[in-house]
Amino acid sequence: MTDYKELVKKAFEAQKSSYSPYSHFKVGAALLSEEGKVYLGCNIENATFTPTNCAERTAFFKAVSEGVKDFTAIAIVGNTDSVEAGSGDYCAPCGVCRQVMAEFCDPETFSIILAKSENDYVVLSLKELLPLGFTNKNLSK
Ligand code: THU
């Protein structure tokens, strides 16, 4: 299995920027492009709640807005009270973020790494997290 230690490390780095004064749930994501560049994302909350953006989508939108649309993996870390590695649980992406991943990523090969620390993580495929997803392939049939 690929060693995702470095990508997880970057997700923890991104988590430090989390703007989450309402939930106090700090999330960080590190998205790896096919060409090897890493895009960091954090959750960004809002006083009116609805505009809140998840860490994963922040990372995706940063990359896509810079013209990058091919990705191999994303590492995600999240917890409530601290940004210390290992203090949280695995943080699985919400349904909306899974759908955004499905827009750009191959469900069989895109890896989603849920980490508690650099040494404690699980790797799942997008297909496992979004079975029978609706994508642009359905629209073209
Ligand atoms: N959140 C993420 O950023 N990513 C996830 O995978 C789950 C939830 C954020 C949204 C909100 O700012 C906070 O975590 C609590 O839901």
Side-chain angles (χ1 to χ4, degrees):
M1 190 182 72
T2 316
D3 185 359
Y4 288 112
K5 217 178 174 129
E6 278 307 305
L7 200 62
V8 170
K9 200 171 171 179
K10 287 191 180 344
F12 276 111
E13 195 182 308
Q15 190 186 28
K16 291 183 190 148
S17 301
S18 167
Y19 177 74
S20 43
Y22 307 106
S23 74
H24 304 288
F25 192 86
K26 297 172 192 294
V27 187
L31 175 63
L32 180 63
S33 75
E34 259 180 26
E35 57 191 10
K37 198 168 164 191
V38 175
Y39 295 85
L40 302 185
C42 64
N43 55 332
I44 305 168
E45 299 186 343
N46 190 278
T48 60
F49 301 143
T50 314
T52 293
N53 206 54
C54 290
E56 298 89 325
R57 273 176 289 145
T58 302
F60 267 89
F61 295 160
K62 280 173 69 180
V64 175
S65 68
E66 291 180 29
V68 176
K69 291 194 277 301
D70 299 308
F71 307 102
T72 57
I74 189 168
I76 306 163
V77 301
N79 60 45
T80 43
D81 49 5
S82 109
V83 293
E84 295 305 313
S87 66
D89 204 348
Y90 297 124
C91 177
C94 78
V96 174
C97 288
R98 293 177 201 203
Q99 188 64 34
V100 168
M101 291 173 194
E103 185 68 25
F104 299 103
C105 307
D106 182 333
E108 309 270 353
T109 60
F110 184 68
S111 296
I112 299 166
I113 300 108
L114 312 181
K116 288 186 192 177
S117 74
E118 281 170 41
N119 300 311
D120 180 352
Y121 58 77
V122 290
V123 184
L124 298 147
S125 70
L126 177 57
K127 192 180 175 184
E128 287 175 291
L129 288 185
L130 190 66
L132 282 176
F134 186 93
T135 69
N136 49 17
K137 289 193 180 68
N138 298 96
L139 284 178
S140 61
K141 271 178 191 155

